[in-house]
Amino acid sequence: MNILLLGSGGREHALAWKMAASPLTDRLFCAPGNAGIAQEAECVAIDIADHAAVIAFCKANGIDLVVVGPEAPLCAGIVDDLEAVAIKTFGPSKAAARLEGSKGFTKDLCRANGIPTAAYERFHEAKPALAYLRARGAPIVVKADGLAAGKGVVVAQSLAEAEAALEMMFGGGLGEAGGAVVIEEFLDGEEASFFALCDGTTAIPLTTAQDHKRVFDGDRGPNTGGMGAYSPAPNIDAAMSARIMREIITPTLEAMQAMGAPYQGVLYAGLMITTQGPKLIEYNARFGDPETQVLMLRLMSDLVPALVAAREGQLKAFDLRWYAEPALTVVMAAKGYPGAYTRGSVIEGLDAASAVEGVQIFHAGTKAEAGQILANGGRVLNVSAIGKTVREAQARAYQAVSLIRWPEGFCRHDIGWRAIERET
Ligand code: AMP
């Protein structure tokens, strides 16, 4: 098969690494890719927001399958546009990607189908929203309806904080994404990410992960796209997994099918495991980043037939196998991230770091120039490792980090602390 992967981050490097290893893969392309992906795939400089350009490339290169990494093209309807010209594509349609693209859509779907989630109301105007806030009190959570690149959620500990968030969103601080707002109950518990592969009618569980969103050690500082992750999530055992499938994933799939928007692709559920059971915080319509980096290290089976089976509606009899060993990834970011940072600093020592046992380094934001690897983003490298325990995976990842010479970069030093505490 000739496969085209869309995206340029660590998630796409991990997917490319796994797909390149498949005996089914003939040629693997990635648009636009990065310096790490270029070791696994032929990178092509196409603007993936230009659907006509993507279609033209697929036709000229006999592409048999397109795999979409990030959410923006999904919500922009790239799957619909490619499928309309008979190019097979892995990922949800625009209508199905509303599970990520509109928080209000997902909340209403949960309410209509008895799917456990935080109590909420949707608002299109500030005044009734403010009245609701004041009636409920803090802690409370204010969310912009649309895609806001991780900036659309404010978990407010005080009413003043919640009011400021509301003012910012309705004031246009997040553009169109904040035109509508969801206000919801604060959920207490431990979070986990749950991934399912869906073919429209059948969902099969992938595995689970936990991530660290805050930028500094001890889970302090501003939120980021994710500073590290590990898999599996220690708070989801087989019984909890079955319950999540039964109470959350399966009814969602049925509801999407009933409304004529069957969901195909990866369904990524952000969950709060509360004393009353699992509750849905949000859906994402694609693989997680950086969770995919640890998922791919743990996936024993070939990924390509799984993606094809999802696209073809043939997951019913499909089985995926996973290594039992945990995996962990440490994100190395450019100093200043998630605020302002500079690009173009030189990264050295990657070969020695990659040689550490169990380690795989995925590139999240790099480019190659004159034989050097340069930082080219906020999150730059995902130093990932598998081990017999989370502690061992963590030790391997940090040993690799110590061999990377990049003074302009930084990372957290406690990724996996909660899981390691449980192990000991
Ligand atoms: P989201 O973008 O919806 O995943 O929200 C980002 C983060 O905000 C989540 O990972 C949670 O840590 C937190 N969060 C979102 N909704 C709630 C909620 N209802 N209660 C507590 N924390 C929440």
Side-chain angles (χ1 to χ4, degrees):
M1 292 173 64
N2 293 329
I3 302 174
L4 171 64
L5 172 64
L6 303 182
S8 63
R11 163 183 51 211
E12 287 75 24
H13 189 181
L15 293 172
W17 174 73
K18 196 65 189 161
M19 290 195 290
S22 171
L24 296 173
T25 303
D26 187 6
R27 293 182 78 181
L28 177 62
F29 299 93
C30 184
N34 64 37
I37 295 171
Q39 293 162 9
E40 311 289 350
E42 300 171 54
C43 292
V44 288
I46 309 173
D47 173 8
I48 62 174
D50 182 350
H51 298 185
V54 175
I55 290 169
F57 179 85
C58 291
K59 291 196 164 159
N61 291 278
I63 296 297
D64 301 296
L65 180 71
V66 177
V67 178
V68 185
E71 62 277 19
L74 295 169
C75 292
I78 196 160
V79 174
D80 309 63
D81 290 349
L82 289 166
E83 291 282 354
V85 292
I87 297 167
K88 292 182 180 179
T89 307
F90 175 81
S93 66
K94 183 175 181 173
R98 278 180 296 173
L99 285 175
E100 173 160 6
S102 168
K103 296 206 189 291
F105 172 82
T106 298
K107 295 299 287 190
D108 288 355
L109 181 133
C110 288
R111 184 178 276 168
N113 294 280
I115 296 167
T117 189
Y120 74 103
E121 284 305 329
R122 293 176 76 171
F123 297 95
H124 292 87
E125 285 168 41
K127 215 171 151 195
L130 204 56
Y132 181 78
L133 265 190
R134 289 181 178 154
R136 301 297 299 230
I140 197 157
V141 183
V142 181
K143 300 186 174 184
D145 184 74
L147 289 185
K151 298 190 179 70
V153 175
V154 176
V155 179
Q157 296 303 333
S158 69
L159 204 54
E161 213 182 320
E163 289 182 12
L166 205 58
E167 201 170 302
M168 179 272 287
M169 289 177 194
F170 278 126
L174 296 173
E176 246 176 65
V181 163
V182 169
I183 300 178
E184 69 180 34
E185 166 201 9
F186 173 80
L187 295 176
D188 215 0
E190 184 177 345
E191 286 183 60
S193 303
F194 186 94
F195 300 86
L197 189 64
C198 306
D199 71 359
T201 50
T202 301
I204 58 171
L206 299 175
T207 182
T208 57
Q210 283 182 320
D211 69 344
H212 294 271
K213 283 258 189 295
R214 304 298 193 96
V215 71
F216 299 129
D217 285 14
D219 294 315
R220 288 174 299 110
N223 261 322
T224 69
M227 294 301 291
Y230 48 93
S231 171
N235 58 345
I236 301 190
D237 59 10
M240 180 58 78
S241 174
R243 184 168 176 191
I244 291 162
M245 288 298 289
R246 192 172 64 242
E247 295 182 5
I248 298 179
I249 305 291
T250 301
T252 299
L253 217 61
E254 286 169 358
M256 294 304 289
Q257 196 178 15
M259 72 170 77
Y263 190 93
Q264 287 191 319
V266 170
L267 188 57
Y268 158 1
L271 303 170
M272 190 71 85
I273 309 301
T274 72
T275 49
Q276 297 130 42
K279 292 195 179 185
L280 181 72
I281 297 177
E282 62 155 3
Y283 274 132
N284 291 307
R286 31 89 193 168
F287 280 106
D289 189 346
E291 293 91 337
T292 305
Q293 291 81 316
V294 285
L295 258 53
M296 291 302 114
L297 279 185
R298 296 190 56 231
L299 180 58
M300 189 189 296
S301 305
D302 188 345
L303 175 64
V304 175
L307 302 181
V308 171
R311 159 61 182 73
E312 301 293 328
Q314 288 173 351
L315 283 181
K316 207 171 175 102
F318 208 85
D319 190 29
L320 278 175
R321 306 199 49 187
W322 301 86
Y323 294 109
E325 285 79 12
L328 177 143
T329 187
V330 175
V331 172
M332 295 188 78
K335 280 180 183 164
Y337 175 81
Y341 55 84
T342 56
R343 293 171 197 257
S345 51
V346 178
I347 302 166
E348 294 178 303
L350 288 173
D351 287 343
S354 302
V356 175
E357 190 179 355
V359 165
Q360 198 66 41
I361 297 178
F362 298 116
H363 292 218
T366 62
K367 69 175 177 182
E369 217 172 81
Q372 288 186 309
I373 301 294
L374 307 182
N376 192 38
R379 291 189 296 170
V380 173
L381 296 170
N382 307 132
V383 183
S384 316
I386 194 158
K388 284 189 291 294
T389 57
V390 180
R391 181 183 288 280
E392 185 178 68
Q394 187 203 51
R396 288 172 167 180
Y398 282 117
Q399 192 193 338
V401 166
S402 74
L403 295 170
I404 295 172
R405 295 189 302 280
W406 180 34
E408 295 82 0
F410 77 100
C411 66
R412 278 181 55 163
H413 294 90
D414 62 348
I415 300 302
W417 67 267
R418 202 190 290 268
I420 289 170
E421 222 164 60
R422 265 201 175 87
E423 276 178 357
T424 47

